[in-house]
Amino acid sequence: MVNADISLTIGVLALQGAFSEHLQLLKKAALALPSNITFRFLEIRTADALATCDALIIPGGESTTMSLVAERSNLLEPLREFVKVYRKPVWGTCAGMILLAEEANRTKKGGQELIGGLDVRVRRNHFGSQTESFSTPLSLPFLEDSAPFYGFFIRAPIVEQVLPPTTLESSLENNTTETITAPSKNPINAVAASFTSPDEVKILGRLPPSKLTTTQEDSNLGVNPAEGRIVAVEQGNCFGTSFHPELGSDIRIHKWWLEKVLEKVEMKRRLETES
Amino acid sequence: MATELPVETHATLNGANGTGSIAKDATSFANKDALARGVIMDVTTEEQARIAEEAGASAVMALERIPADIRIEGGVSRMSDPGMIKRIKAAVTIPVMAKARIGHFVECQILDAIGIDFIDESEVLTPADNVHHVTKHGFKAPFVCGCRNLGEALRRISEGAAMIRTKGEAGTGDVVEAVKHMRTLNSEIKKAQNMSDEELYVMAKEIGAPYDLLKKTAQLGRLPVVNFAAGGVATPADAALMMQLGCDGVFVGSGIFRSGDPAKRAKAIVQAVTHFNNPQVLAEVSEGLGEAMVGISVAKLPESEKLQGRGW
């Protein structure tokens, strides 16, 4: 599949949180990939640095802190453009997934800014406080082998609901006191647009039902507890996990994601030369 | 820039501490995720907690009196009213920490019972035990403890602390002691890195630290848990200074709500911790912050009034 030498720049948003752990796992995962791919891994704190990236990871941390610092560092709009206008590959873990969601619940008073990209509604701190954190084996069918992946859930969010596709109109309607939404944007060109998939949120992982905490809000939504809550989703260029793969030493998800990035970047570069 | 804390540390560290269960692992390094490269602010009211959250604090420390007032008012300083801590917890979505007196394991049990996110076994409160610290392994909440040097840090980690901070000299607004403690840690770690196993055994004995943790620290070139700056940080420049010395994040106590414009200063310090290596940004956020806390020079402070000597 990979013919010529190719170089990729992967950024990790380094405003706050567990960015150094992601960088370490990325470097390890890169060693497991073909040597004709040259990777450059960067800590991203400015819009200029972001512009050089082919793909981005938004790490775990405090999503309120990250979005406030992003806003004050003039990074919020460039991030939205990266995700929604240029449609470059982005992976959010925990707080990062909250920022990639189109809607979020249980935010601080006055809400918080979201980037959006995944048509899901997440519920922040689903499992409660720090002391309710846990790690659990997850079965993730998209990984090449079936060995369980240990997911670390720390004040973790959960995907509460897969939403109908966002449009410019609908994104403005849903801002209520309980739920906040991300602003909608149009892809820059046909190539970027081909990386959206408006009607397709793929559910890539669920929490075993034994780890389920059912709440009043669940029954109001008609959630079926036996299915297990959604903890990994993919839609177009966006990938989100409510757990922290970067806090263990298992490189499988990082490797899988880098392969996806490579695939998308190659396709994009090909389409751009053709058009 | 701080040396990276390798991802493999968790398993080994927890193994060394003998806390085997996987569920426990998650809490013991929970702090790495949510707090790393963040600012933790002292707050005494729900309004202050909201200001801190709006400013981008990655956690707040709920307490009845900030260290600067404890210093002025004196008397015995104890754990805060659990009701007040609960109200602050309800007001924000970020983690809430609270302080317990050194050695006062019942205050820790109470804080654990109300579901506090972190416990700070702190020298800022009046110690309840002149010999022992709390054994921190049995609690659901992770602990943070202060240190002035490597021996003290490793003793606390051995007792179960999941996070270390410099002691500095709380409530003074004078960063000199925090710098001293961070410099001391760094130089002791450098020394340990160049030692043979035989020499490390001797160093472990001399600094009163468990050999295994000292060996681990020497291998990593840093403490095996996150290490924050605390005690005297008052300006964005102070915060960036501590980050450049290798801290993983910053506690700001009296520095914010004792200054002219707390909201603006809090925001500026958050920006400074993210962009600690970017003097351009540091210059921008340092502008027009209004009056800083007046502060007390540590050099003028009599030995008996220093808080950092508390802890064993």
Side-chain angles (χ1 to χ4, degrees):
Chain A
M1 184 184 80
V2 183
N3 306 316
D5 287 358
I6 180 164
S7 76
L8 292 177
T9 303
I10 314 283
V12 180
L13 194 65
L15 299 176
Q16 194 259 323
F19 51 86
S20 105
E21 289 76 6
H22 266 300
L23 285 164
Q24 291 178 60
L25 275 197
L26 280 172
K27 284 172 193 161
K28 275 195 188 167
L31 295 176
L33 291 166
S35 58
N36 62 329
I37 315 161
T38 314
F39 286 104
R40 207 159 65 102
F41 298 114
L42 294 181
E43 291 180 6
I44 303 302
R45 293 189 179 83
T46 62
D48 290 345
L50 181 66
T52 67
C53 295
D54 295 303
L56 181 75
I57 289 181
I58 305 178
E62 275 303 316
S63 65
T64 50
T65 304
M66 267 193 268
S67 74
L68 286 167
V69 177
E71 202 177 347
R72 289 175 203 140
S73 307
N74 299 319
L75 254 176
L76 198 60
E77 275 311 302
L79 280 168
R80 286 193 179 124
E81 286 177 6
F82 192 92
V83 177
K84 294 180 151 177
V85 177
Y86 296 99
R87 292 278 163 187
K88 294 187 184 179
V90 184
W91 172 16
T93 58
C94 190
M97 181 177 83
I98 297 173
L99 295 178
L100 286 182
E102 287 292 334
E103 291 187 13
N105 275 349
R106 286 203 198 163
T107 56
K108 69 175 177 64
K109 291 193 180 79
Q112 74 182 72
E113 292 285 350
L114 298 177
I115 296 165
L118 290 166
D119 283 318
V120 296
R121 178 160 66 237
V122 296
R123 191 192 299 162
R124 291 186 63 211
N125 298 350
H126 171 74
F127 302 96
S129 72
Q130 197 80 37
T131 50
E132 311 304 324
S133 301
F134 60 93
S135 101
T136 191
L138 297 168
S139 131
L140 300 174
F142 63 96
L143 295 177
E144 52 198 32
D145 59 62
S146 56
F149 191 99
Y150 275 85
F152 295 99
F153 293 82
I154 301 165
R155 293 168 57 86
I158 202 100
V159 174
E160 182 175 89
Q161 212 176 11
V162 173
L163 303 169
T166 318
T167 59
L168 273 175
E169 301 78 57
S170 71
S171 77
L172 295 173
E173 287 165 7
N174 302 331
N175 261 329
T176 61
T177 46
E178 289 84 37
T179 305
I180 48 157
T181 62
S184 181
K185 292 193 183 297
N186 287 324
I188 187 165
N189 55 27
V191 175
S194 71
F195 290 99
T196 64
S197 52
D199 45 20
E200 202 188 347
V201 175
K202 282 190 233 158
I203 294 165
L204 296 187
R206 284 179 186 270
L207 198 60
S210 61
K211 278 286 175 192
L212 208 67
T213 39
T214 317
T215 62
Q216 187 56 43
E217 292 161 69
D218 287 337
S219 47
N220 294 345
L221 283 165
V223 169
N224 174 12
E227 277 197 312
R229 303 312 296 261
I230 303 165
V231 293
V233 287
E234 187 194 15
Q235 183 183 24
N237 56 326
C238 297
F239 173 49
T241 53
S242 47
F243 52 95
H244 294 267
E246 76 278 16
L247 294 185
S249 51
D250 194 336
I251 60 166
R252 283 178 298 159
I253 301 185
H254 284 81
K255 181 166 173 270
W256 171 85
W257 184 73
L258 284 178
E259 283 165 350
K260 282 236 151 195
V261 169
L262 179 68
E263 217 175 279
K264 291 199 158 98
V265 170
E266 283 190 321
M267 195 194 296
K268 183 173 161 227
R269 289 181 186 171
R270 201 170 55 238
L271 288 172
E272 278 169 353
T273 37
E274 281 168 11
S275 61
Chain B
M1 176 72 202
T3 317
E4 286 179 341
L5 190 54
V7 285
E8 298 86 0
T9 327
H10 320 299
T12 25
L13 188 64
N14 281 294
N17 285 349
T19 49
S21 93
I22 288 163
K24 180 69 187 169
D25 289 359
T27 38
S28 59
F29 58 130
N31 54 78
K32 288 194 56 173
D33 154 51
L35 305 179
R37 301 333 194 269
V39 183
I40 300 164
M41 302 180 192
D42 280 1
V43 297
T44 56
T45 63
E46 289 133 275
E47 293 70 45
Q48 290 183 356
R50 291 280 305 118
I51 292 172
E53 183 177 48
E54 270 324 308
S58 57
V60 290
M61 175 79 70
L63 68 182
E64 274 163 352
R65 294 190 293 172
I66 56 172
D69 290 340
I70 293 176
R71 210 168 260 295
I72 296 164
E73 292 162 20
V76 177
S77 201
R78 309 179 179 90
M79 175 188 78
S80 300
D81 177 349
M84 168 265 185
I85 297 169
K86 277 159 103 181
R87 281 193 298 279
I88 287 181
K89 246 179 107 60
V92 293
T93 65
I94 53 179
V96 178
M97 300 185 167
K99 288 184 194 293
R101 284 181 267 176
I102 288 174
H104 205 313
F105 50 87
V106 173
E107 284 187 351
C108 299
Q109 290 164 5
I110 291 170
L111 292 173
D112 216 22
I114 61 169
I116 197 78
D117 293 303
F118 286 85
I119 300 172
D120 183 4
E121 188 187 11
S122 177
E123 70 281 1
V124 169
L125 306 185
T126 313
D129 190 320
N130 278 331
V131 180
H132 309 94
H133 278 255
V134 174
T135 303
K136 295 168 262 286
H137 294 290
F139 292 89
K140 278 201 294 176
F143 276 73
V144 51
C145 289
C147 80
R148 286 167 299 174
N149 52 48
L150 186 56
E152 211 170 5
L154 296 182
R155 285 195 292 280
R156 299 294 88 80
I157 295 170
S158 167
E159 291 155 3
M163 177 181 191
I164 291 294
R165 56 175 172 76
T166 61
K167 281 183 173 171
E169 191 54 45
T172 59
D174 188 347
V175 79
V176 66
E177 293 298 297
V179 168
K180 182 165 107 193
H181 299 157
M182 195 57 199
R183 289 262 188 213
T184 306
L185 262 182
N186 287 344
S187 91
E188 286 177 314
I189 292 171
K190 261 189 223 138
K191 225 170 83 191
Q193 279 183 292
N194 292 321
M195 283 187 177
S196 65
D197 282 0
E198 289 86 344
E199 291 168 319
L200 280 177
Y201 277 108
V202 176
M203 183 174 180
K205 183 186 76 181
E206 281 168 0
I207 66 172
Y211 168 79
D212 292 346
L213 283 172
L214 179 60
K215 171 90 181 157
K216 181 98 216 159
T217 305
Q219 279 166 352
L220 296 172
R222 58 156 295 147
L223 287 181
V225 300
V226 277
N227 180 21
F228 273 48
V233 175
T235 66
D238 288 350
L241 171 69
M242 296 310 296
M243 293 299 286
Q244 288 195 27
L245 285 175
C247 289
D248 298 309
V250 173
F251 282 87
V252 192
S254 321
I256 290 175
F257 291 101
R258 267 292 168 277
S259 72
D261 189 343
K264 194 167 179 194
R265 183 167 294 266
K267 279 182 203 169
I269 292 177
V270 170
Q271 288 299 104
V273 166
T274 295
H275 301 282
F276 69 94
N277 254 338
N278 188 335
Q280 212 64 47
V281 175
L282 295 176
E284 281 164 31
V285 301
S286 299
E287 240 177 72
L289 290 182
E291 239 173 284
M293 81 179 272
V294 178
I296 316 163
S297 163
V298 175
K300 297 225 170 71
L301 213 56
E303 223 31 62
S304 61
E305 284 179 25
K306 288 188 184 167
L307 302 174
Q308 57 176 277
R310 301 165 166 182
W312 351 106

